[in-house]
Amino acid sequence: MTLALGTEIPSTPADGKVDTIWVPTIADITKPKLTEITAGTDISNYVTLGGWSCEPSQDTISDQRENTTQDYENPGRKKISGPSVEVIDNTNTEHSEQNVAMDTLTEGAEGYFVRRYGKDTSEAFKADDIVNVYAVRIGMSSKVAIAANSVLRSKVNFTVKAPGWAENVKVTA
């Protein structure tokens, strides 16, 4: 499909359209089951704006040939850089009963982050939703520096472990 110059392309505001679920068990990250996701813990309301940091990238493999003046490349190893999530931290406050993210994402915990983009967070997950799944091990957490007009937050580090991650996969029934 070719677009005519000046064709307006709609965009979707991101506000209120990202879910983050902590799931203890997923049998196949390329085909997460609806029952697995709904058995998870919704930490969406704890993740701060811009607090998700998990950037997949791919190295390149140099493919130089003796008989050409050009260099070629092939896709190489994939990796995740800077994996962490910044969350509201109500530890020791009058809201400490509402501290699900900090209580769930404890150092050494293993599980899966499931992220869904583009649907209102009030919408329940359904089969055929498109999600990203990350197999992770939780690392240390650290308090985020206090700033004027801010809330108490912590940065929770994690590492991606085998079987890795799967992006843009369909939820199965």
Side-chain angles (χ1 to χ4, degrees):
M1 178 175 147
T2 304
L3 292 177
L5 186 61
T7 301
E8 185 173 332
I9 304 298
S11 61
T12 304
D15 295 345
K17 295 199 182 292
V18 180
D19 290 289
T20 304
I21 312 296
W22 173 258
V23 180
T25 305
I26 294 179
D28 181 350
I29 65 170
T30 64
K31 297 176 187 154
K33 293 182 179 157
L34 183 58
T35 54
E36 293 169 329
I37 294 170
T38 57
T41 302
D42 188 347
I43 63 167
S44 303
N45 284 335
Y46 292 90
V47 178
T48 63
L49 185 61
W52 177 257
S53 178
C54 184
E55 299 189 19
S57 63
Q58 188 167 27
D59 291 334
T60 56
I61 300 168
S62 178
D63 186 2
Q64 296 175 321
R65 307 295 172 102
E66 195 173 66
N67 68 338
T68 181
T69 59
Q70 293 182 326
D71 288 342
Y72 306 103
E73 294 179 333
N74 286 302
R77 296 180 72 91
K78 296 176 183 178
K79 63 184 174 185
I80 297 279
S81 299
S84 67
V85 60
E86 185 179 289
V87 296
I88 301 298
D89 184 347
N90 287 324
T91 303
N92 290 328
T93 72
E94 66 273 17
H95 306 297
S96 59
E97 293 296 316
Q98 296 172 327
N99 207 22
V100 172
M102 291 304 295
D103 293 342
T104 303
L105 305 177
T106 59
E107 188 168 358
E110 293 186 359
Y112 303 83
F113 282 118
V114 175
R115 302 257 297 169
R116 180 182 71 175
Y117 297 82
K119 287 192 170 186
D120 288 336
T121 58
S122 61
E123 278 192 51
F125 277 76
K126 296 185 241 181
D128 294 330
D129 279 351
I130 304 296
V131 298
N132 293 350
V133 181
Y134 305 88
V136 304
R137 181 177 296 117
I138 301 299
M140 65 175 270
S141 65
S142 60
K143 305 297 184 199
V144 173
I146 303 303
N149 300 314
S150 68
V151 296
L152 297 173
R153 299 160 288 151
S154 280
K155 177 182 175 184
V156 178
N157 295 291
F158 60 89
T159 55
V160 176
K161 63 183 197 86
W165 70 94
E167 293 198 332
N168 300 314
V169 295
K170 277 189 182 182
V171 174
T172 61

